[in-house]
């Protein structure tokens, strides 16, 4: 097997790398994986993508964990977001199809407008309210059109990890610097520990049907279980880290950002659990693991 993972320096890319390269990491052979970053495969360049695949042997599976993820900046960099999250995904799908490879692509809860009062399922109506969400939805649609068979799209939400920049690390930093913080309390979602998302992806890869049988392209939802607001999430982060910082609830209106955020993006995860037997913890346990790991570093 030759498995390509894009976005090697991102939260998800690094989490996949860590599992695969840990002794007995999920019974997967590290030799089967090739991790690439933008230096070798720049998703903002059509020719870089062509060159990369022209100069490497065919792949059996491509995991696209790279993306343009700067949600607020995307409002100013519409073209770049569209290139990386839409056009490059379309190109990757074309190449994967040509190589008869499976493609696993990651999308977002931000394809929804957040107005639903019940958890979104995979077929719920999409209606993104910011540039990032629109670019990711365009990527999903292009992928499905080019590759109606043998691809998987996983929509996830509120990803955090020991790596890069994320809400958990920002709170831990600010909590040391300040006595109190204002955090939005009227946006609800489910946090996702990147290690758990990586584990779910590796579970799919190990699935015999996925590897060996032609199957229609599917969308799946994956996040950790449970629901929480950013405000309560921040409180829990400080509780676990034993940080003495007061967290005041504020409304979205009181915290204007360049990109609008959906209010409630809870997603139903039954489909991925039933199909692939993916394990899914409540968000509290993985948060504990992440903060403990960060403290040990
Ligand atoms: N983070 C979240 O809260 C969240 C929520 C929902 C869905 N998602 C989705 O989950 C997936 C993984 O996200 P993540 O949190 O791991 O993101 P991340 O930490 O921001 O990593 C994204 C990676 O993509 C790479 N990248 C960006 N532009 C590129 C380009 N032009 N060419 C090649 N690589 C490029 C970045 O490279 P550099 O390191 O060189 O910048 C980075 O390593 C993405 O599809 C994202 O849309 C994330």
């Amino acid at each position: 097997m030759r498995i390509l993972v894009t976005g090697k320096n991102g939260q998800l890319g690094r989490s996949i790398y860590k599992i695969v390269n840990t002794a007995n990491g999920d019974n997967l052979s590290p030799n089967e994986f090739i991790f690439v970053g933008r230096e070798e495969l720049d998703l903002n360049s059509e020719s870089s993508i062509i060159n990369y695949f022209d100069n490497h042997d065919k792949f059996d599976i491509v995991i696209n964990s790279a993306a343009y993820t700067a949600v607020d900046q995307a409002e100013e960099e519409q073209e770049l977001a569209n290139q990386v999250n839409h056009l490059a995904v379309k190109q990757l799908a074309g190449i994967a199809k040509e190589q008869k490879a499976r493609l696993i692509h990651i999308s977002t809860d931000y394809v929804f407008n957040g107005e639903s009062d019940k958890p979104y399922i995979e077929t719920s109506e999409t209606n993104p309210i910011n540039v990032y969400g629109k670019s990711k939805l365009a990527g999903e649609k292009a992928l499905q059109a080019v590759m109606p068979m043998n691809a998987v799209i996983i929509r996830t939400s509120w990803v955090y990890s020991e790596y890069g920049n994320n809400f958990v690390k920002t709170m831990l930093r600010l909590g040391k610097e300040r006595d109190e913080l204002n955090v939005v309390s009227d946006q609800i979602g489910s946090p996702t520990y990147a290690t758990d998302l990586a584990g779910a992806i590796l579970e799919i890869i190990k699935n015999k049907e996925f590897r060996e049988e032609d199957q229609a392209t599917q969308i799946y939802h994956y996040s950790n279980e449970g629901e929480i607001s950013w405000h309560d999430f921040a409180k829990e982060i400080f509780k676990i880290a034993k940080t003495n910082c007061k967290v005041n609830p504020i409304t979205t209106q009181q915290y204007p950002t360049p990109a609008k955020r959906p209010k409630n993006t809870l997603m139903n995860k039954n489909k991925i659990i039933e199909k692939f037997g993916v394990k899914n913890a409540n968000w509290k346990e993985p948060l504990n693991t992440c903060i403990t790991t960060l403290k040990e570093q």
Side-chain angles (χ1 to χ4, degrees):
M1 275 276 178
R2 278 173 56 77
I3 304 166
L4 179 71
V5 183
T6 68
K8 75 168 179 187
N9 298 312
Q11 300 195 78
L12 178 58
R14 291 179 72 177
S15 301
I16 296 173
Y17 182 90
K18 183 154 183 221
I19 298 181
V20 169
N21 285 279
T22 303
N24 288 331
D26 238 353
N27 291 324
L28 292 156
S29 161
N31 300 334
E32 293 185 318
F33 287 78
I34 296 112
F35 291 84
V36 276
R38 76 165 83 208
E39 327 74 61
E40 295 152 277
L41 175 58
D42 183 359
L43 298 185
N44 187 29
S45 158
E46 205 181 316
S47 59
S48 165
I49 300 176
I50 294 170
N51 284 341
Y52 182 82
F53 286 96
D54 278 354
N55 289 312
H56 290 83
D57 291 340
K58 281 187 182 176
F59 294 96
D60 301 293
I61 299 173
V62 176
I63 304 171
N64 183 30
S65 66
Y68 179 101
T69 56
V71 175
D72 285 320
Q73 222 170 303
E75 299 294 312
E76 295 278 319
E77 295 185 328
Q78 199 158 338
E79 211 176 306
L80 178 58
N82 188 57
Q83 168 57 38
V84 176
N85 292 345
H86 168 204
L87 301 177
V89 175
K90 183 177 177 184
Q91 205 183 339
L92 283 180
I95 294 166
K97 188 179 177 189
E98 207 178 280
Q99 298 200 350
K100 297 192 169 26
R102 270 59 177 142
L103 174 61
I104 299 180
H105 173 69
I106 316 305
S107 191
T108 171
D109 56 334
Y110 280 18
V111 298
F112 299 116
N113 68 7
E115 296 298 328
S116 175
D117 53 6
K118 50 181 192 292
Y120 288 100
I121 59 169
E122 286 77 358
T123 50
S124 295
E125 191 191 341
T126 52
N127 183 13
I129 57 172
N130 57 39
V131 168
Y132 166 76
K134 284 179 187 153
S135 70
K136 294 292 285 186
L137 180 62
E140 284 187 6
K141 291 199 164 152
L143 184 159
Q144 287 170 301
V146 173
M147 219 179 153
M149 300 292 290
N150 297 329
V152 160
I153 295 168
I154 303 173
R155 293 187 185 134
T156 189
S157 60
W158 296 27
V159 179
Y160 68 90
S161 68
E162 297 83 357
Y163 315 112
N165 295 317
N166 57 63
F167 184 79
V168 174
K169 287 178 72 178
T170 303
M171 286 302 117
L172 290 174
R173 177 172 51 78
L174 292 177
K176 278 189 205 151
E177 296 166 5
R178 304 195 196 161
D179 294 331
E180 55 183 291
L181 283 174
N182 297 335
V183 181
V184 169
S185 62
D186 58 358
Q187 288 169 29
I188 311 285
S190 302
T192 305
Y193 183 33
T195 299
D196 289 350
L197 174 60
I201 292 170
L202 296 175
E203 211 55 63
I204 295 175
I205 286 180
K206 287 189 288 179
N207 184 277
K208 205 165 177 297
E209 271 178 39
F210 170 78
R211 287 164 86 126
E212 294 174 7
E213 288 172 25
D214 283 335
Q215 293 190 319
T217 291
Q218 296 287 334
I219 298 178
Y220 296 96
H221 288 172
Y222 182 83
S223 65
N224 286 135
E225 287 297 345
E227 60 185 88
I228 191 157
S229 70
W230 289 116
H231 167 260
D232 288 337
F233 193 38
K235 273 177 47 181
E236 191 65 26
I237 291 166
F238 293 145
K239 192 170 149 197
I240 295 171
K242 299 189 172 61
T243 303
N244 207 359
C245 178
K246 189 168 176 254
V247 191
N248 306 313
I250 55 165
T251 63
T252 300
Q253 253 189 341
Q254 290 172 293
Y255 186 73
T257 49
K260 275 202 222 162
R261 302 296 200 273
K263 257 199 173 145
N264 183 337
T265 58
L266 290 178
M267 297 189 292
N268 178 311
K269 277 83 64 179
N270 290 347
K271 188 175 170 187
I272 197 167
I273 292 168
E274 280 162 22
K275 171 77 181 171
F276 296 107
V278 164
K279 288 180 234 99
N280 201 8
N282 180 276
W283 61 267
K284 266 192 195 182
E285 192 191 312
L287 178 63
N288 228 313
T289 307
C290 180
I291 292 175
T292 309
T293 313
L294 280 167
K295 279 193 156 177
E296 284 165 358
Q297 281 172 358

